[in-house]
Amino acid sequence: GQQLNQSPQSMFIQEGEDVSMNCTSSSIFNTWLWYKQDPGEGPVLLIALYKAGELTSNGRLTAQFGITRKDSFLNISASIPSDVGIYFCAGQRGGNTPLVFGKGTRLSVIA
Amino acid sequence: GAVVSQHPSWVICKSGTSVKIECRSLDFQATTMFWYRQFPKQSLMLMATSNEGSKATYEQGVEKDKFLINHASLTLSTLTVTSAHPEDSSFYICSARSPGLAYEQYFGPGTRLTVT
């Protein structure tokens, strides 16, 4: 099935650095969501975006819904070791339709 | 709020046996539940969508007779892997959604299935 283009695939950063990752699509989505998955666990919802252009923060996390509805980015400021994990973007076309996922960004934080 | 549980968290079974995995929404009523499969270092692969009280909709390539899904109530869906084979070994994750939660999708912690 369709997947979103998520980049980068992996990142190695120093503790305290800011991180940015993004997702793009060839088609429009009405909702964008960002999840984090720790090893052996299910994904945990971080941020949900509902309007084009919307910028939403959750602590050190900030995400934006692109104005074209075809992209979204997630920023993490001042990274800490517990930020390690895989981050997935997901798009939803509307209503009760299934999510379409990106392939994930694997984040490693070096203390 | 919006907690989804799965049971068991891991299971080992012999080839040819069947395994049932439960997915429960603990503090909300899930009109729709989804079942995913995830291979190591890969993204989630949607297997099927189930709405309470109706038959599940399976994604292309997923055998409905092998992966039986029952969504008997607004808080419980089950996935039964029938006649399991080693290639069915995987991480199975459910998620639940409710219109009351703006259709945000919440995931369970996953079930690690190993077929020997």
Side-chain angles (χ1 to χ4, degrees):
Chain A
Q2 181 193 359
Q3 278 194 316
L4 302 174
N5 300 312
Q6 186 171 349
S7 64
Q9 271 190 311
S10 62
M11 303 179 74
F12 288 83
I13 61 168
Q14 294 278 351
E15 184 177 356
E17 287 184 350
D18 297 344
V19 173
S20 185
M21 59 192 79
N22 70 83
C23 266
T24 61
S25 170
S26 57
S27 56
I28 289 173
F29 288 95
N30 292 321
T31 303
W32 285 87
L33 304 103
W34 285 91
Y35 291 87
K36 181 187 180 218
Q37 186 178 26
D38 291 326
E41 299 286 335
V44 173
L45 181 62
L46 300 174
I47 293 179
L49 302 158
Y50 301 103
K51 286 185 186 177
E54 178 182 353
L55 185 71
T56 298
S57 293
N58 178 6
R60 293 177 296 107
L61 278 61
T62 302
Q64 183 156 33
F65 190 149
I67 197 75
T68 63
R69 296 191 184 181
K70 294 182 180 180
D71 62 311
S72 176
F73 72 74
L74 174 71
N75 286 343
I76 305 172
S77 62
S79 58
I80 58 178
S82 60
D83 291 334
V84 166
I86 303 176
Y87 292 79
F88 289 101
C89 62
Q92 184 182 356
R93 293 205 163 79
N96 215 16
T97 55
L99 294 178
V100 178
F101 281 89
K103 291 189 175 182
T105 295
R106 186 178 297 269
L107 178 64
S108 300
V109 179
I110 304 167
Chain B
V3 179
V4 178
S5 71
Q6 269 182 254
H7 179 80
S9 54
W10 59 270
V11 57
I12 301 172
C13 70
K14 292 187 176 179
S15 285
T17 61
S18 295
V19 175
K20 180 186 283 189
I21 303 170
E22 292 186 349
C23 176
R24 294 182 186 271
S25 56
L26 298 185
D27 52 2
F28 67 101
Q29 292 187 323
T31 49
T32 306
M33 286 184 168
F34 302 87
W35 286 95
Y36 293 83
R37 185 171 179 178
Q38 188 177 34
F39 293 103
K41 298 189 178 182
Q42 293 191 20
S43 189
L44 291 83
M45 183 184 78
L46 179 65
M47 298 175 68
T49 301
S50 77
N51 292 295
E52 185 265 338
S54 59
K55 287 184 180 179
T57 302
Y58 290 81
E59 295 298 299
Q60 195 171 11
V62 178
E63 298 176 58
K64 62 181 180 182
D65 293 331
K66 180 167 185 62
F67 298 100
L68 300 178
I69 291 171
N70 187 312
H71 192 161
S73 75
L74 286 172
T75 60
L76 173 65
S77 176
T78 60
L79 168 67
T80 301
V81 183
T82 63
S83 187
H85 286 249
E87 56 264 33
D88 298 326
S89 299
S90 191
F91 193 52
Y92 292 88
I93 312 174
C94 73
S95 68
R97 180 189 282 177
S98 167
L101 294 173
Y103 291 107
E104 291 174 1
Q105 203 163 309
Y106 293 89
F107 286 83
T111 297
R112 171 77 56 195
L113 170 64
T114 301
V115 185
T116 60

